[in-house]
Amino acid sequence: MSNDLTPGTSSPGTTSTPLTSGNASGQAGGDPREHSSGESAGYRWQRPVPTIGDPTSAAERAAAPQGWAFPAEVRRALREVIGARRDIRRFRPDPVPDGLLREVISAGHAAPSVGHSQPWRFIVVRDPDTRQRAANLADAQRITQASAMLPERGRQLLDLKLEGLREAPAGLVVACDRRVPALGVLGRATFTDADVWGCACAVENMWLTARAAGLGMGWVTLFDPADLGELLGLPEGVETLGWLCIGWPDELPPGPGLERRAWSSTLPLDEVILHERWPASGEEPARPVSHLRAPDQAHTVAATDAADELLTPPGSLGVLDRALDRIAAAGQHDVRGGTLVLAGADHPVYDLGVSAYPPQVTREVMRAALSCEAVGTVTARASGFGTVVVDAGVRGEALPSPAVTARPQHPRGNLRDGDALHPEDVTALVAAGSDLGRRLAGEGLVLLGEVGVGNTTIASALAAALTGLPVEQAAGLGAGSDSAMVARKRDVIAGALARRGVEPGTPAPASFSARDLLGAFGGGEIALLTGVTLGAARAGGVVVLDGLATSVAALLAVREEPAVAAYLIAGQVSRERAHEQVLRALGLEPLLDLRLRAGEGAGAALAGAMLLTGLRVRREAGRVAPRQP
């Protein structure tokens, strides 16, 4: 602290008197602290000003609340740069000076990050061979994604130019180092993806800096993240945000490229500004448009044509034949295996007396699954399938590795008195499941299984809301229930529907999105499996359902993306009364009717074994000779 005692400004209505070297009598050695009145009364000491950091005082900031603003010309320039940012696809071969590239990357390094974690790592790629291999990966993904879209949208995607990967003199890959657990980074314990958001901010900083310098930048995300990570040698836990092409532009587009190509248009600003909270049903903004399509007519016809070549009457395998046609129409006719996704969670609804088993059973079954000793995992292994175990909210500590952790981060309600899941948890769980489903779709069939004490009540409430099934028909026995417990289930489901304004015996109105319903009545495992279904179908994978809970997850996915229905196969119909109604709403016939009560994906695995056998029959059975004209 400074010892400068020069008087400051007195407060209004007082007189400031300079401190002299003497006392009140003018004699030396006086101590001003001894004065309680007189010349030192009303004296204002000078505020200590730090030599580093913010030198301003509260009074100064109060006097000029807008004093931090840049001049008008700087703000105008910023608006111009933001408005002129473009996704560049065509580049000149001229090199980007190292100093300028470093300036762009420096802007990225100045981005905000939660907990000042700075998770970004910037990989500059100049090697032509690496850039060519990246372009090949993107080309393959472009064709794959185009095939999953509506025909016109698919053609538009194929028309989009990706030569920037080859033309641009440099590639810049932003990698997010996520190897530190979320709990170890300030601010990530609740928003676990905040590190990725920071890296996205780094991309925007670099994009704007490049634009201001006259450089072009194009952001390419048509990659399988695992493929791009392998190309760049990234370790486990380091993820990419795609590939940034950077160089001098060979085009000067006046507007956004996709808008100029009639892919989409910029929404009016007032349509994306909401006030205070999300609007009530009927007033909410329109959902983003999906361009997912079911397998087209040609693929569907080709599947049945191929089956007609077998030395057996068409459709001789009955329901199995129709399921095999569905697999072939999705382009998966050469599948030799797949993966069971077993998701587990507990639910506060248990406390309302709706289950015959204590919650710790969920953890025991999931632990057995990790040792491949649970009924579902043993069945999957015996049927030729791998298993991924997901902790979607098992009571207590997170399950140990190799379980995938995707647990809700907010308090959960018991349906009757409060919503089952927080909206942020719904979003996170669906996203985690979607990513998992997309990755597994390339490995064969995706089988769904679940574990969760009390989740038949959860699934029944969702079934009632989705199909309009009367409460007395929706509430089933579950595992070991008696009549009194079934009555309690009915009361809980009726109370949950009434709390959210869903008329019993009537489907929830269209204004209730799939995610609204998951939040109101769902559970962690059902939200996760909804995402798995969406992700697998978007990647062209076939999903095999097990019991009521997995079928409800699939019906929620179809509510969000109707074309998902074409990628579903009902493995079985269980004893739960609502299951048959849910399958009917999906338009699916089950392969098996064994009155199973095991859950855990056992029925899906048994049905999956039948599907693999059927596919082998189609590959290896004799064919008839072509008819002679």
Side-chain angles (χ1 to χ4, degrees):
M1 181 181 294
S2 170
N3 290 320
D4 183 1
L5 300 179
T6 303
T9 304
S10 61
S11 60
T14 64
T15 301
S16 177
T17 304
L19 181 66
T20 66
S21 59
N23 57 22
S25 304
Q27 298 176 348
D31 185 348
R33 290 175 297 178
E34 297 175 358
H35 293 273
S36 60
S37 62
E39 291 183 338
S40 65
Y43 174 77
R44 299 294 300 271
W45 303 97
Q46 184 180 28
R47 185 180 72 88
V49 179
T51 57
I52 59 173
D54 180 9
T56 64
S57 67
E60 290 168 341
R61 296 190 294 272
Q66 298 179 347
W68 211 35
F70 281 98
E73 60 271 19
V74 176
R75 301 201 302 274
R76 182 168 54 253
L78 177 61
R79 287 195 300 270
E80 291 177 2
V81 172
I82 292 173
R85 184 201 56 78
R86 298 288 178 264
D87 195 26
I88 298 299
R89 297 296 179 186
R90 296 177 55 186
F91 294 87
R92 303 300 305 161
D94 310 71
V96 177
D98 289 342
L100 183 53
L101 183 58
R102 187 175 180 85
E103 179 184 338
V104 170
I105 296 174
S106 178
H109 191 40
S113 62
V114 169
H116 202 222
S117 53
Q118 306 168 82
W120 43 71
R121 302 293 181 266
F122 305 102
I123 305 173
V124 179
V125 183
R126 299 186 189 271
D127 178 61
D129 179 63
T130 303
R131 290 190 286 117
Q132 178 61 49
R133 291 164 64 192
N136 292 344
L137 292 174
D139 284 338
Q141 280 297 320
R142 177 175 60 165
I143 293 171
T144 299
Q145 290 192 24
S147 67
M149 290 183 170
L150 297 170
E152 178 58 28
R153 287 297 186 177
R155 286 190 289 270
Q156 285 181 293
L157 174 57
L158 293 175
D159 286 341
L160 296 180
K161 182 179 175 63
L162 292 179
E163 291 306 308
L165 286 160
R166 298 177 175 91
E167 292 177 353
L172 184 57
V173 177
V174 179
C176 185
D177 192 339
R178 313 193 72 189
R179 290 176 293 178
V180 176
L183 283 172
V185 179
L186 177 65
R188 272 191 63 204
T190 47
F191 289 91
T192 56
D193 291 331
D195 52 344
V196 179
W197 305 342
C199 292
C201 291
V203 171
E204 182 73 357
N205 273 14
M206 292 191 294
W207 212 336
L208 295 175
T209 302
R211 177 65 187 91
L215 288 170
M217 185 175 282
W219 194 352
V220 183
T221 56
L222 285 171
F223 295 99
D224 182 306
D227 290 343
L228 184 55
E230 182 179 357
L231 175 65
L232 300 173
L234 302 183
E236 186 74 22
V238 178
E239 302 176 7
T240 74
L241 277 75
W243 182 289
L244 299 171
C245 305
I246 186 166
W248 302 108
D250 197 29
E251 59 176 334
L252 303 176
L258 292 181
E259 189 168 34
R260 289 184 294 111
R261 292 178 177 86
W263 180 274
S264 60
S265 58
T266 301
L267 294 171
L269 182 60
D270 287 339
E271 288 190 14
V272 296
I273 297 177
L274 308 177
H275 297 281
E276 309 304 341
R277 56 169 296 156
W278 195 265
S281 299
E283 302 174 3
E284 61 181 359
R287 291 173 55 191
V289 177
S290 170
H291 304 297
L292 178 68
R293 69 170 175 181
D296 61 25
Q297 183 182 15
H299 283 96
T300 304
V301 173
T304 54
D305 285 350
D308 282 350
E309 297 176 2
L310 297 176
L311 185 57
T312 183
S316 61
L317 297 181
V319 177
L320 179 58
D321 253 334
R322 287 193 287 275
L324 297 175
D325 287 344
R326 180 162 289 201
I327 294 173
Q332 300 286 326
H333 46 80
D334 197 37
V335 164
R336 311 288 174 118
T339 308
L340 168 67
V341 179
L342 182 61
D346 286 303
H347 309 276
V349 73
Y350 166 82
D351 297 328
L352 300 181
V354 296
S355 177
Y357 293 93
Q360 55 263 37
V361 171
T362 303
R363 177 171 289 274
E364 283 296 295
V365 173
M366 293 295 281
R367 288 178 60 197
L370 290 172
S371 301
C372 206
E373 296 180 21
V375 169
T377 54
V378 171
T379 307
R381 182 175 58 183
S383 302
F385 298 101
T387 303
V388 173
V389 177
V390 184
D391 180 352
V394 176
R395 185 176 294 193
E397 295 181 354
L399 292 175
S401 179
V404 175
T405 301
R407 295 163 61 87
Q409 300 297 309
H410 297 80
R412 290 173 274 178
N414 65 7
L415 274 71
R416 185 192 65 187
D417 305 314
D419 282 354
L421 290 172
H422 190 281
E424 291 176 2
D425 287 329
V426 171
T427 299
L429 285 160
V430 171
S434 180
D435 181 63
L436 180 60
R438 177 189 56 76
R439 289 190 282 113
L440 295 178
E443 301 177 8
L445 301 177
V446 178
L447 285 58
L448 304 188
E450 44 68 36
V451 180
V453 170
N455 73 357
T456 54
T457 301
I458 298 284
S460 297
L462 284 166
L466 285 163
T467 69
L469 193 65
V471 172
E472 59 272 14
Q473 296 178 32
L477 285 172
S481 298
D482 58 16
S483 57
M485 186 168 288
V486 172
R488 287 195 293 274
K489 286 186 182 181
R490 291 173 180 169
D491 289 343
V492 170
I493 295 169
L497 295 174
R499 181 180 58 80
R500 290 305 302 264
V502 177
E503 188 70 26
T506 303
S511 56
F512 279 80
S513 71
R515 301 189 185 209
D516 291 336
L517 294 173
L518 276 170
F521 314 118
E525 76 278 47
I526 295 180
L528 189 285
L529 294 177
T530 299
V532 170
T533 306
L534 286 166
R538 287 166 178 161
V542 174
V543 178
V544 183
L545 311 179
D546 186 34
L548 173 62
T550 66
S551 300
V552 164
L555 189 53
L556 286 161
V558 170
R559 191 178 182 97
E560 182 155 316
E561 291 269 17
V564 166
Y567 298 90
L568 303 177
I569 292 175
Q572 59 124 348
V573 59
S574 69
R575 291 186 61 189
E576 284 300 310
R577 300 176 66 183
H579 194 189
E580 186 175 355
Q581 182 69 21
V582 171
L583 293 182
R584 186 176 296 120
L586 287 168
L588 298 178
E589 287 185 87
L591 287 175
L592 301 172
D593 184 357
L594 302 176
R595 298 194 296 277
L596 295 179
R597 296 170 57 185
E600 303 178 32
L606 291 171
M610 291 180 58
L611 292 168
L612 294 183
T613 301
L615 290 168
R616 182 170 180 175
V617 168
R618 287 202 172 181
R619 287 193 301 269
E620 299 180 8
R623 264 120 176 108
V624 299
R627 291 185 60 184
Q628 298 298 321

